[in-house]
Amino acid sequence: MTRIDRKFADLRAEGKKAFVAYVMAGDPDYDSSLDLIKALPAAGVDIIELGQPFTDPMADGPTIQLAGQRALKAGQTLDKTLQMARAFRETDDSTPIVMMGYYNPIYNRGVERFLDDAKDAGIDGLIVVDLPPEEDDELCIPAQNAGLNFIRLATPTTDDKRLPKVLQNTSGFVYYVSITGITGAAAASATDVAPEVARIKASTDLPVIVGFGIRSPETAQEIASVADGAVVGSAIVKLVEEGKSTSEIVAFVKGLAEGAHRA
């Protein structure tokens, strides 16, 4: 049982939905980013998505793209992201960390070495948006064998024929993308999301967490009410871009978490 599995078991026992927060590692710099992720659990964040900056983030909107550029410019590397996870683990051994990004940096490092390093650093799961299920032998299966959850994305265009393929080796949770398009592009709607979540849950026992287009406590609550939890990324990263202090960002995150937990 991974930290992710334990977290969802605990939340179910408490009758609560999950709140997941995305932060770009190294944005605007290593120390500020580390301070922020260390503060997230006390703000009510159940799972941290730690973005690995990449030069060609094709699934991300402008806010996340710019965050990655800032992080790379500040010298963020895969090594530094793993070190950030290790530093977080020095004071928190229970909050799950999911590394989210693209396959190229992992491929360049070597899959076996990367998985050893990720496990050692305290990473619990991976979301790699440019590896389809047809490539599961490349990273997904080795990751599962190493004890890491491999979390897959389902979208509004994932039809009933495609869904079983998406779910077949997924673990930890399913990340449902609430809108068609890039991150930060539109507002999520519980009315649209509810039937899609129900369709996915009819095919899997895994929790279904919904992300993209959630920017307020009210929307977090609405979305979490029809799913197993909500993810917020762009709205948090935007505050980093605006130069808000860690305390200001944490206050915003706390409101979002409270919204999801009220669902």
Side-chain angles (χ1 to χ4, degrees), residues 128-137 140 150 152 162 165:
V128 182
V129 298
D130 55 347
L131 272 183
E134 287 75 14
E135 305 294 335
D136 275 357
D137 289 341
C140 174
F150 198 89
R152 191 85 68 191
R162 180 66 173 168
K165 189 74 173 175

Side-chain angles (χ1 to χ4, degrees), residues 81-239:
T81 300
L82 293 169
Q83 177 54 41
M84 191 173 287
R86 289 190 193 93
F88 178 84
R89 287 281 172 242
E90 290 173 3
T91 56
D92 188 318
D93 194 43
S94 61
T95 304
I97 299 175
V98 175
M99 183 181 287
M100 184 171 186
Y102 296 82
Y103 184 49
N104 185 269
I106 297 170
Y107 177 80
N108 284 339
R109 192 180 193 86
V111 167
E112 185 175 350
R113 180 187 170 200
F114 167 76
L115 292 174
D116 286 345
D117 291 344
K119 187 73 175 174
D120 179 69
I123 301 294
D124 303 291
L126 303 173
I127 299 175
V128 182
V129 298
D130 55 347
L131 272 183
E134 287 75 14
E135 305 294 335
D136 275 357
D137 289 341
E138 190 81 16
L139 179 63
C140 174
I141 302 301
Q144 310 261 38
N145 291 339
L148 294 169
N149 290 128
F150 198 89
I151 294 131
R152 191 85 68 191
L153 276 66
T155 75
T157 60
T158 306
D159 60 21
D160 290 339
K161 183 179 179 181
R162 180 66 173 168
L163 184 61
K165 189 74 173 175
V166 169
L167 295 175
Q168 68 180 3
N169 290 315
T170 300
S171 65
F173 60 91
V174 179
Y175 187 136
Y176 179 69
V177 176
S178 65
I179 56 172
T180 302
I182 54 177
T183 57
S189 163
T191 303
D192 295 335
V193 165
E196 292 299 303
V197 170
R199 182 170 68 91
I200 296 167
K201 290 179 76 67
S203 298
T204 182
D205 293 329
L206 291 171
V208 179
I209 306 302
V210 177
F212 286 45
I214 301 171
R215 303 187 186 94
S216 70
E218 293 74 23
T219 308
Q221 181 177 356
E222 290 169 12
I223 294 298
S225 71
V226 299
D228 295 300
V231 186
V232 176
S234 294
I236 297 170
V237 171
K238 187 68 176 174
L239 297 183

Side-chain angles (χ1 to χ4, degrees), residues 1 4-18 46 207 228 261 263:
M1 181 176 273
I4 295 170
D5 299 327
R6 284 195 294 272
K7 176 59 70 173
F8 280 110
D10 291 346
L11 289 166
R12 279 193 298 270
E14 297 171 23
K16 290 171 66 175
K17 302 298 181 70
D46 298 301
D228 295 300
H261 291 153

